[in-house]
C-alpha cells in the first residue's frame, strides 16, 4: 500500500494524518482544560510519523491552532505540513456560520498565519463555499494570497463535483475535504473525481466521530488483525483509494498512537469487500 501522497515535487506527506478539532475537548467552546496535554498530543502524533496536520481557525476557536504553533515551536526541525481552513465561523460549541466575504477570508488567512506561527500556509482549504457570495470572489481572494506567497496550495471542503469543476476553472485545487467513512459514503462521486485528477481526498469524521468503534463487523475482525475497530476503519479508508488522507481526531495520545499504526494493517481483499457492504 502506498503510504505517502505527493502534493507537488517538494511536498509529500504520510497519508495517515491527524485532525485537531477534538483538542479543546468534546463540545468545548474555548481552551482545553489542560493546554500542555493538548500540545503533547500533537507532539506524540509527530513522534509517531504524522507530518500532515489538519486544523482550522474555528477549532477552539483559535486554540487548536495555538496548540499546533506551540508543538511546532518545541520541535523546529520537524517537517510538518499544516492544512488549515477559512470561511466557516463559530459562535458557540454547535453554532457555525458560513462567511465567505473576501475581506473576511483575507483576514482569516492572516489570523491563521499568526495563530499557527507560520509565514505561509501549505494548504489553505475553503471550509465552506458561501452560497450568498459570488464564488469567483471567494476563490479570487485566495488566489491573490497565493500570488502574494501566503498560501501555497488551495483546497475545498464539503463540495460537490460541480463546485470543484467551477473552482478549477479559476484556480488549481489540490485537495477536497468531505465527510466520508466506512458507513457514510454519500460523496463517493467526489472521491472518484478526486482519484481521477490526483486531488487529495481528506475524509472528515473518518471514525464517524467514534460511532464506528462498536460497529459489529469491525469488532468481529479485531482478533484476526490484532487491531482495534478504529484501526480497521482507518485501514479500510487507506485501502479504498491512494488519494485518501485520513485525519482522525483525538485528544488522547494513546488513541493517536493506535490510529497511526493503522497504516501497517493490510486488509485482505475479501475483508475489504465485506466491509464495503456497510456503506450507504
Ligand atoms: N472540513 C470539515 O467540515 C470538518 C468537519 C469536522 C471535522 N473535520 C476534521 O476532521 C477531523 C476528524 O474528525 P473528528 O475528530 O470530528 O471525528 P473522528 O475522527 O471521526 O472521531 C473522533 C472521535 O473518535 C475518538 N477516537 C479517535 N481515535 C480513537 C481510538 N483509536 N480509539 C477510541 N476512540 C478514538 C475521539 O475521542 P478521543 O479524543 O477520546 O480519542 C473522538 O471522540 C477533525 O479533527 C477535523 O480536523 C473537518
Amino acid at each position: 500500500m502506498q503510504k505517502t501522497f505527493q502534493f507537488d515535487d517538494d511536498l509529500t506527506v504520510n497519508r495517515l494524518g491527524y485532525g485537531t478539532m477534538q483538542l479543546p475537548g468534546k463540545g468545548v467552546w474555548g481552551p482545553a482544560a489542560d493546554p500542555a496535554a493538548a500540545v503533547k498530543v500533537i507532539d506524540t502524533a509527530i513522534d509517531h510519523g504524522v507530518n500532515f496536520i489538519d486544523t482550522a481557525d474555528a477549532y477552539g476557536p483559535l486554540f487548536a491552532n495555538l496548540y499546533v504553533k506551540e508543538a511546532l515551536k518545541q520541535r523546529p526541525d520537524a517537517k510538518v505540513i499544516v492544512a488549515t481552513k477559512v470561511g466557516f465561523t463559530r459562535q458557540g460549541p454547535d453554532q457555525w456560520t458560513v462567511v465567505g466575504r473576501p475581506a473576511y477570508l483575507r483576514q482569516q488567512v492572516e489570523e491563521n498565519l499568526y495563530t499557527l506561527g507560520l509565514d505561509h500556509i501549505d494548504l489553505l482549504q475553503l471550509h465552506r463555499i458561501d452560497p450568498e457570495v459570488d464564488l469567483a470572489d471567494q476563490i479570487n481572494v485566495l488566489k491573490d494570497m497565493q500570488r502574494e506567497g501566503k498560501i501555497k496550495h488551495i483546497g475545498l471542503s464539503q463540495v460537490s463535483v460541480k463546485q470543484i469543476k467551477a473552482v478549477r476553472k479559476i484556480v488549481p485545487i489540490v485537495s477536497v475535504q468531505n465527510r466520508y467513512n466506512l458507513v457514510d459514503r454519500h460523496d463517493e462521486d467526489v472521491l472518484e473525481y478526486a482519484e481521477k485528477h490526483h486531488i487529495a481526498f481528506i475524509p472528515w469524521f473518518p471514525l464517524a466521530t467514534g460511532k464506528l468503534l462498536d460497529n459489529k463487523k469491525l469488532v468481529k475482525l479485531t482478533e484476526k488483525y490484532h487491531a482495534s475497530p478504529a484501526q480497521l476503519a482507518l485501514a479500510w479508508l487507506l485501502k479504498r483509494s491512494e488519494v485518501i488522507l485520513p485525519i482522525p481526531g483525538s485528544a488522547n495520545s494513546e488513541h493517536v498512537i493506535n490510529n497511526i499504526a493503522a497504516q501497517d494493517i493490510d486488509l485482505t481483499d475479501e475483508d475489504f469487500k465485506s466491509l464495503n457492504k456497510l456503506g450507504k
Side-chain angles (χ1 to χ4, degrees):
M1 184 189 60
Q2 181 69 32
K3 286 191 176 169
T4 57
F5 179 87
Q6 193 172 7
F7 283 102
D8 64 30
D9 288 347
D10 305 321
L11 215 158
T12 298
V13 297
N14 294 326
R15 287 175 57 209
L16 207 302
Y18 171 73
T20 66
M21 193 165 117
Q22 307 295 336
L23 279 180
K26 256 201 184 105
V28 171
W29 169 249
D34 183 350
V39 173
K40 185 77 193 143
V41 171
I42 300 167
D43 194 50
T44 302
I46 298 171
D47 264 346
H48 285 77
V50 164
N51 63 5
F52 180 68
I53 296 179
D54 179 75
T55 188
D57 57 352
Y59 301 164
L62 300 180
F63 291 106
N65 278 7
L66 292 170
Y67 303 147
V68 173
K69 179 186 192 171
E70 184 56 29
L72 296 182
K73 197 172 104 189
Q74 288 177 13
R75 45 192 314 162
D77 294 337
K79 287 196 173 67
V80 176
I81 304 309
V82 180
T84 190
K85 314 186 198 77
V86 295
F88 210 9
T89 65
R90 205 160 166 203
Q91 294 71 39
D94 299 314
Q95 282 171 271
W96 294 80
T97 309
V98 180
V99 179
R101 289 180 62 191
Y104 195 61
L105 293 180
R106 177 172 277 277
Q107 179 179 321
Q108 282 186 294
V109 172
E110 295 289 355
E111 283 167 359
N112 271 286
L113 284 168
Y114 179 74
T115 49
L116 289 166
L118 298 172
D119 61 6
H120 76 277
I121 291 163
D122 280 316
L123 174 56
L124 192 283
Q125 305 155 99
L126 184 59
H127 213 153
R128 291 291 183 274
I129 290 174
D130 188 338
E132 291 174 16
V133 177
D134 181 63
L135 177 66
D137 289 348
Q138 294 174 71
I139 302 304
N140 276 327
V141 67
L142 303 182
K143 193 174 167 183
D144 287 347
M145 296 191 88
Q146 193 173 42
R147 247 186 252 121
E148 292 161 23
K150 294 185 175 182
I151 295 172
K152 188 162 189 207
H153 293 295
I154 296 172
L156 301 170
S157 173
Q158 214 46 40
V159 283
S160 65
V161 171
K162 194 174 164 198
Q163 286 172 317
I164 305 171
K165 284 182 180 167
V167 173
R168 288 183 82 209
K169 284 191 181 142
I170 306 170
V171 78
I173 292 301
V174 303
S175 71
V176 174
Q177 182 169 147
N178 277 23
R179 198 181 64 209
Y180 184 87
N181 58 53
L182 183 54
V183 294
D184 179 354
R185 307 231 290 279
H186 180 266
D187 288 348
E188 206 72 48
D189 62 330
V190 177
L191 170 58
E192 280 163 18
Y193 181 86
E195 264 184 313
K196 196 169 159 202
H197 298 276
H198 189 69
I199 291 171
F201 184 91
I202 305 169
W204 57 269
F205 284 178
L207 303 174
T209 67
K211 290 187 195 89
L212 277 173
L213 303 174
D214 52 13
N215 179 282
K216 281 199 188 96
K217 235 175 176 167
L218 289 177
V219 171
K220 223 172 149 188
L221 288 173
T222 53
E223 222 169 285
K224 176 173 175 184
Y225 287 95
H226 304 290
S228 68
Q231 288 177 320
L232 293 168
L234 295 170
W236 180 86
L237 282 171
L238 290 169
K239 194 173 169 85
R240 169 63 189 84
S241 167
E242 291 192 349
V243 301
I244 287 188
L245 276 57
I247 45 162
S250 177
N252 176 315
S253 290
E254 291 305 314
H255 290 171
V256 169
I257 295 169
N258 187 261
N259 293 341
I260 297 164
Q263 62 189 327
D264 297 320
I265 297 170
D266 197 5
L267 291 176
T268 63
D269 290 344
E270 194 190 352
D271 289 335
F272 177 76
K273 276 184 201 147
S274 153
L275 289 173
N276 272 350
K277 291 181 191 145
L278 289 170
K280 282 184 208 124

Coordinates of all heavy atoms in Angstrom, one line a residue, residues 18-23 26 53-56 59 85 88 96 125-128 156-158 177-179 181 202-213 228-231 234 247-259, ligand 1:
Y18 N -3.5 13.7 11.0 CA -4.1 14.0 12.4 C -5.0 15.2 12.2 O -4.5 16.2 11.6 CB -3.0 14.2 13.4 CG -3.6 14.6 14.7 CD1 -4.3 13.8 15.6 CD2 -3.4 16.0 15.1 CE1 -4.9 14.3 16.7 CE2 -4.0 16.4 16.3 CZ -4.7 15.6 17.1 OH -5.3 16.0 18.3
G19 N -6.1 15.2 12.8 CA -7.0 16.4 12.9 C -7.1 17.0 14.3 O -7.3 16.2 15.2
T20 N -7.1 18.3 14.4 CA -7.0 18.9 15.7 C -8.4 19.3 16.4 O -8.4 19.8 17.5 CB -6.2 20.3 15.6 OG1 -7.0 21.2 14.8 CG2 -4.9 20.1 15.0
M21 N -9.5 19.0 15.7 CA -10.7 19.5 16.2 C -11.1 19.1 17.6 O -11.8 19.8 18.3 CB -11.9 19.1 15.2 CG -13.2 19.8 15.5 SD -14.3 19.7 14.1 CE -15.6 18.8 14.8
Q22 N -10.6 17.9 18.0 CA -11.0 17.4 19.3 C -10.1 17.9 20.4 O -10.4 17.7 21.6 CB -10.9 15.8 19.3 CG -11.7 15.1 18.3 CD -13.2 15.3 18.4 OE1 -13.7 15.6 19.5 NE2 -13.9 15.2 17.3
L23 N -9.1 18.7 20.1 CA -8.1 19.1 21.1 C -8.7 19.9 22.3 O -8.3 19.6 23.4 CB -6.9 19.8 20.5 CG -5.9 18.9 19.8 CD1 -4.8 19.8 19.2 CD2 -5.3 17.9 20.8
K26 N -14.4 17.5 23.9 CA -15.7 17.3 23.2 C -16.7 18.4 23.6 O -16.9 18.6 24.8 CB -16.2 15.9 23.6 CG -16.0 14.9 22.5 CD -17.0 13.7 22.6 CE -16.6 12.8 21.5 NZ -15.9 11.6 21.9
I53 N -1.0 17.7 9.3 CA -2.0 18.0 10.4 C -3.1 18.9 9.8 O -2.8 20.0 9.2 CB -1.3 18.8 11.6 CG1 -0.3 17.8 12.2 CG2 -2.2 19.3 12.6 CD1 0.5 18.4 13.4
D54 N -4.3 18.5 10.0 CA -5.5 19.3 9.6 C -6.0 20.1 10.8 O -6.2 19.6 11.9 CB -6.6 18.4 9.1 CG -7.8 19.2 8.6 OD1 -7.7 19.9 7.5 OD2 -8.8 19.3 9.3
T55 N -6.2 21.4 10.5 CA -6.7 22.3 11.6 C -7.6 23.3 11.0 O -8.0 23.3 9.8 CB -5.6 22.9 12.4 OG1 -6.1 23.6 13.6 CG2 -4.7 23.9 11.6
A56 N -8.1 24.3 11.8 CA -9.0 25.4 11.3 C -9.0 26.5 12.4 O -8.9 26.1 13.6 CB -10.4 24.9 11.0
Y59 N -11.5 25.9 15.2 CA -11.4 24.9 16.2 C -10.9 25.5 17.5 O -9.7 25.9 17.6 CB -10.5 23.7 15.8 CG -10.9 23.0 14.5 CD1 -10.1 22.2 13.8 CD2 -12.3 23.1 14.1 CE1 -10.5 21.5 12.7 CE2 -12.7 22.5 12.9 CZ -11.8 21.7 12.2 OH -12.2 21.0 11.1
K85 N -8.0 26.1 7.5 CA -9.3 26.4 6.7 C -9.8 27.8 7.1 O -9.5 28.3 8.2 CB -10.4 25.4 7.1 CG -10.0 24.0 7.0 CD -11.2 23.0 7.2 CE -10.7 21.7 7.6 NZ -10.3 21.5 9.0
F88 N -15.6 29.4 7.7 CA -16.6 28.8 8.5 C -16.4 29.4 9.9 O -15.4 29.0 10.5 CB -16.5 27.3 8.5 CG -17.8 26.5 8.6 CD1 -19.0 27.2 8.6 CD2 -17.8 25.2 8.8 CE1 -20.2 26.4 8.8 CE2 -18.9 24.4 8.9 CZ -20.2 25.1 8.9
W96 N -22.4 27.3 13.9 CA -21.4 27.5 12.9 C -22.1 28.5 11.8 O -23.3 28.3 11.5 CB -21.1 26.2 12.2 CG -20.3 25.2 13.0 CD1 -20.8 24.4 14.0 CD2 -18.9 25.0 13.0 NE1 -19.8 23.7 14.5 CE2 -18.7 24.0 14.0 CE3 -17.8 25.5 12.3 CZ2 -17.4 23.5 14.2 CZ3 -16.6 25.0 12.5 CH2 -16.3 24.0 13.5
Q125 N -7.7 25.5 2.9 CA -8.9 25.0 2.4 C -10.1 25.9 2.7 O -10.2 26.5 3.8 CB -9.2 23.6 3.1 CG -8.1 22.6 3.0 CD -8.0 21.6 4.1 OE1 -8.5 20.5 3.9 NE2 -7.5 22.0 5.2
L126 N -10.9 26.2 1.7 CA -12.1 26.9 1.9 C -13.1 26.0 2.6 O -13.6 25.0 2.0 CB -12.7 27.5 0.6 CG -13.9 28.4 0.7 CD1 -13.6 29.6 1.5 CD2 -14.4 28.8 -0.7
H127 N -13.3 26.3 3.9 CA -14.1 25.4 4.8 C -15.5 25.1 4.2 O -16.0 24.0 4.3 CB -14.2 26.0 6.2 CG -14.2 25.0 7.3 ND1 -13.7 25.4 8.6 CD2 -14.6 23.8 7.4 CE1 -13.8 24.4 9.4 NE2 -14.4 23.4 8.7
R128 N -16.1 26.2 3.8 CA -17.4 26.0 3.1 C -17.5 27.1 2.0 O -17.0 28.2 2.2 CB -18.6 26.2 4.1 CG -18.8 25.2 5.1 CD -19.3 23.9 4.5 NE -19.6 22.9 5.6 CZ -18.6 22.1 6.1 NH1 -17.4 22.1 5.7 NH2 -19.0 21.2 7.0
L156 N -10.6 22.6 -1.0 CA -12.0 22.9 -0.8 C -12.5 21.9 0.3 O -12.0 20.9 0.5 CB -12.9 22.7 -2.0 CG -12.4 23.6 -3.2 CD1 -13.2 23.2 -4.5 CD2 -12.7 25.1 -2.9
S157 N -13.7 22.3 0.9 CA -14.3 21.3 1.9 C -15.8 21.3 1.7 O -16.4 22.3 1.5 CB -13.9 21.8 3.3 OG -14.6 21.1 4.3
Q158 N -16.3 20.1 1.8 CA -17.8 19.8 1.7 C -18.3 20.4 0.4 O -19.2 21.3 0.5 CB -18.5 20.3 3.0 CG -19.7 19.5 3.4 CD -19.3 18.0 3.3 OE1 -18.3 17.5 3.7 NE2 -20.3 17.2 2.9
Q177 N -12.0 18.1 1.1 CA -12.2 17.5 2.4 C -13.7 17.4 2.6 O -14.4 18.4 2.8 CB -11.6 18.4 3.5 CG -11.8 17.8 4.9 CD -10.9 18.5 6.0 OE1 -11.4 18.5 7.1 NE2 -9.7 19.0 5.6
N178 N -14.2 16.2 2.4 CA -15.7 16.0 2.6 C -15.9 14.9 3.7 O -15.0 14.1 4.0 CB -16.3 15.5 1.3 CG -16.6 16.6 0.3 OD1 -16.0 17.7 0.4 ND2 -17.5 16.3 -0.6
R179 N -17.2 14.9 4.2 CA -17.5 13.8 5.2 C -17.5 12.5 4.5 O -18.2 12.3 3.5 CB -18.8 14.2 5.9 CG -19.0 13.4 7.2 CD -20.4 13.7 7.8 NE -21.4 13.2 6.9 CZ -22.6 13.8 6.8 NH1 -23.0 14.8 7.5 NH2 -23.5 13.3 6.0
N181 N -16.7 8.1 5.5 CA -16.1 7.0 6.3 C -16.8 5.7 5.8 O -17.7 5.7 4.9 CB -16.3 7.3 7.8 CG -17.7 7.5 8.2 OD1 -18.6 6.6 7.9 ND2 -18.0 8.6 8.9
I202 N -9.6 14.2 1.6 CA -9.4 14.1 3.1 C -10.7 13.9 3.8 O -11.5 14.8 3.9 CB -8.7 15.5 3.5 CG1 -7.5 15.8 2.7 CG2 -8.4 15.5 5.0 CD1 -6.9 17.2 2.8
P203 N -11.0 12.7 4.2 CA -12.3 12.4 4.7 C -12.5 12.9 6.2 O -11.7 12.5 7.0 CB -12.4 10.9 4.7 CG -11.0 10.4 4.8 CD -10.1 11.5 4.2
W204 N -13.4 13.8 6.4 CA -13.6 14.2 7.8 C -14.6 13.2 8.4 O -15.4 12.6 7.7 CB -13.9 15.7 8.0 CG -15.1 16.3 7.3 CD1 -15.1 16.9 6.1 CD2 -16.4 16.5 7.8 NE1 -16.3 17.5 5.8 CE2 -17.2 17.2 6.9 CE3 -17.1 16.1 9.0 CZ2 -18.5 17.6 7.1 CZ3 -18.4 16.5 9.2 CH2 -19.1 17.2 8.2
F205 N -14.6 13.1 9.8 CA -15.3 12.1 10.5 C -14.9 10.7 10.0 O -15.7 9.9 9.8 CB -16.8 12.3 10.4 CG -17.4 13.4 11.2 CD1 -18.8 13.6 11.1 CD2 -16.7 14.2 12.0 CE1 -19.4 14.7 11.8 CE2 -17.3 15.2 12.8 CZ -18.6 15.4 12.7
P206 N -13.6 10.4 9.9 CA -13.1 9.1 9.4 C -13.6 8.0 10.3 O -13.7 6.8 9.9 CB -11.6 9.2 9.4 CG -11.3 10.3 10.3 CD -12.4 11.3 10.2
L207 N -13.8 8.3 11.6 CA -14.3 7.3 12.6 C -15.8 7.5 12.9 O -16.3 7.0 13.9 CB -13.5 7.3 13.8 CG -12.0 7.1 13.6 CD1 -11.2 7.4 14.9 CD2 -11.7 5.7 13.1
A208 N -16.5 8.3 12.1 CA -17.9 8.7 12.3 C -18.0 9.2 13.8 O -18.9 8.8 14.5 CB -18.8 7.5 12.1
T209 N -17.1 10.0 14.1 CA -16.9 10.7 15.5 C -16.9 9.6 16.6 O -17.2 9.9 17.7 CB -18.1 11.7 15.8 OG1 -19.3 11.0 15.9 CG2 -18.2 12.8 14.7
G210 N -16.5 8.5 16.3 CA -16.3 7.4 17.3 C -17.4 6.4 17.2 O -17.3 5.3 17.8
K211 N -18.4 6.6 16.4 CA -19.6 5.7 16.3 C -19.1 4.4 15.7 O -19.7 3.3 15.9 CB -20.7 6.3 15.5 CG -21.4 7.4 16.2 CD -22.7 7.9 15.4 CE -23.1 9.2 15.9 NZ -22.5 10.3 15.2
L212 N -18.0 4.4 14.9 CA -17.6 3.1 14.3 C -16.9 2.2 15.2 O -16.7 1.0 14.9 CB -16.6 3.5 13.1 CG -17.2 3.8 11.8 CD1 -16.2 4.3 10.8 CD2 -18.0 2.6 11.2
L213 N -16.6 2.7 16.4 CA -15.8 1.9 17.4 C -16.5 0.7 17.9 O -15.9 -0.3 18.3 CB -15.3 2.8 18.6 CG -14.5 4.0 18.2 CD1 -14.2 4.9 19.4 CD2 -13.2 3.6 17.5
S228 N -7.6 -2.6 16.6 CA -8.8 -2.0 17.2 C -9.8 -1.7 16.1 O -9.4 -1.6 14.9 CB -8.4 -0.7 18.0 OG -8.0 0.2 17.0
P229 N -11.1 -1.5 16.4 CA -12.0 -1.1 15.4 C -11.6 0.2 14.7 O -11.8 0.3 13.5 CB -13.3 -1.0 16.2 CG -13.2 -1.8 17.4 CD -11.7 -1.8 17.7
A230 N -11.1 1.1 15.5 CA -10.6 2.4 14.9 C -9.6 2.1 13.8 O -9.6 2.7 12.7 CB -10.1 3.3 16.0
Q231 N -8.6 1.3 14.2 CA -7.5 1.0 13.2 C -8.1 0.3 11.9 O -7.7 0.6 10.8 CB -6.5 0.0 13.8 CG -5.7 0.7 14.9 CD -4.7 -0.3 15.5 OE1 -5.1 -1.4 15.8 NE2 -3.5 0.1 15.8
L234 N -9.8 2.9 9.7 CA -8.8 3.7 9.0 C -8.1 2.9 7.9 O -7.8 3.4 6.8 CB -7.8 4.2 10.0 CG -8.3 5.2 11.1 CD1 -7.3 5.5 12.2 CD2 -8.8 6.5 10.4
I247 N -7.7 11.9 8.6 CA -7.2 12.8 9.6 C -8.0 12.5 10.9 O -8.7 13.4 11.4 CB -7.3 14.3 9.2 CG1 -8.7 14.5 8.5 CG2 -6.2 14.6 8.2 CD1 -9.1 16.0 8.5
P248 N -7.9 11.3 11.5 CA -8.6 11.1 12.7 C -8.3 12.1 13.8 O -7.2 12.5 14.0 CB -8.2 9.7 13.1 CG -6.8 9.4 12.4 CD -6.9 10.2 11.2
G249 N -9.4 12.5 14.5 CA -9.2 13.5 15.6 C -9.2 12.8 16.9 O -9.9 11.8 17.1
S250 N -8.4 13.3 17.8 CA -8.3 12.7 19.2 C -7.6 13.6 20.1 O -6.7 14.4 19.7 CB -7.5 11.4 19.1 OG -7.4 10.8 20.4
A251 N -8.0 13.6 21.4 CA -7.3 14.4 22.4 C -6.6 13.4 23.3 O -6.2 13.8 24.5 CB -8.3 15.2 23.2
N252 N -6.4 12.2 22.8 CA -5.8 11.2 23.7 C -4.6 10.6 23.0 O -4.7 10.0 21.9 CB -6.9 10.1 23.9 CG -6.4 8.9 24.7 OD1 -5.4 8.4 24.5 ND2 -7.3 8.5 25.7
S253 N -3.4 10.7 23.6 CA -2.2 10.3 22.9 C -2.2 8.8 22.6 O -1.7 8.4 21.5 CB -1.0 10.6 23.8 OG -0.8 12.0 23.8
E254 N -2.7 8.0 23.5 CA -2.8 6.5 23.2 C -3.6 6.2 22.0 O -3.3 5.4 21.1 CB -3.4 5.8 24.4 CG -2.5 5.8 25.7 CD -1.1 5.2 25.4 OE1 -1.0 4.2 24.7 OE2 -0.1 5.9 25.8
H255 N -4.7 6.9 21.9 CA -5.6 6.8 20.7 C -4.8 7.2 19.4 O -4.9 6.6 18.3 CB -6.9 7.5 20.8 CG -7.8 7.0 21.8 ND1 -8.9 7.6 22.3 CD2 -7.8 5.8 22.5 CE1 -9.5 6.9 23.2 NE2 -8.9 5.8 23.4
V256 N -4.1 8.3 19.5 CA -3.3 8.8 18.4 C -2.3 7.7 17.9 O -2.2 7.4 16.7 CB -2.6 10.1 18.7 CG1 -1.6 10.5 17.6 CG2 -3.7 11.2 18.9
I257 N -1.6 7.2 18.9 CA -0.6 6.1 18.5 C -1.3 4.9 17.9 O -0.8 4.4 16.8 CB 0.2 5.7 19.8 CG1 1.0 6.9 20.3 CG2 1.1 4.5 19.5 CD1 1.6 6.7 21.7
N258 N -2.4 4.6 18.4 CA -3.2 3.4 17.9 C -3.6 3.7 16.5 O -3.4 2.9 15.6 CB -4.4 3.2 18.8 CG -5.2 2.0 18.5 OD1 -6.2 2.1 17.8 ND2 -4.8 0.8 18.9
N259 N -4.1 4.9 16.2 CA -4.6 5.3 14.9 C -3.5 5.3 13.8 O -3.7 4.8 12.7 CB -5.3 6.7 14.9 CG -6.5 6.7 15.7 OD1 -7.1 5.6 16.0 ND2 -7.0 7.9 16.1
Ligands
LIG1 N1 -14.0 20.0 6.9 C1 -14.9 19.9 7.8 O1 -16.0 20.5 7.7 C2 -14.7 19.1 9.0 C3 -15.7 18.8 9.9 C4 -15.4 18.0 11.0 C5 -14.1 17.6 11.3 N2 -13.1 17.9 10.4 C6 -11.7 17.5 10.6 O2 -11.7 16.0 10.6 C7 -11.0 15.6 11.8 C8 -11.6 14.3 12.2 O3 -13.0 14.4 12.6 P1 -13.4 14.3 14.1 O4 -12.2 14.4 15.0 O5 -14.5 15.2 14.4 O6 -14.1 12.8 14.2 P2 -13.4 11.3 14.0 O7 -12.0 11.4 13.7 O8 -14.4 10.6 13.2 O9 -13.6 10.8 15.5 C9 -13.1 11.4 16.6 C10 -13.6 10.7 17.9 O10 -13.1 9.4 17.9 C11 -12.4 9.2 19.1 N3 -11.2 8.3 18.8 C12 -10.3 8.7 17.9 N4 -9.4 7.6 17.8 C13 -9.8 6.7 18.7 C14 -9.2 5.4 19.0 N5 -8.1 4.9 18.5 N6 -9.9 4.7 20.0 C15 -11.0 5.2 20.6 N7 -11.6 6.4 20.3 C16 -11.0 7.1 19.3 C17 -12.0 10.5 19.7 O11 -12.1 10.5 21.1 P3 -10.7 10.7 21.9 O12 -10.4 12.2 21.9 O13 -11.0 10.2 23.3 O14 -9.6 9.9 21.3 C18 -13.2 11.4 19.1 O15 -14.2 11.4 20.0 C19 -11.2 16.7 12.8 O16 -10.3 16.7 13.8 C20 -11.0 17.9 11.9 O17 -9.6 18.2 11.7 C21 -13.4 18.7 9.3

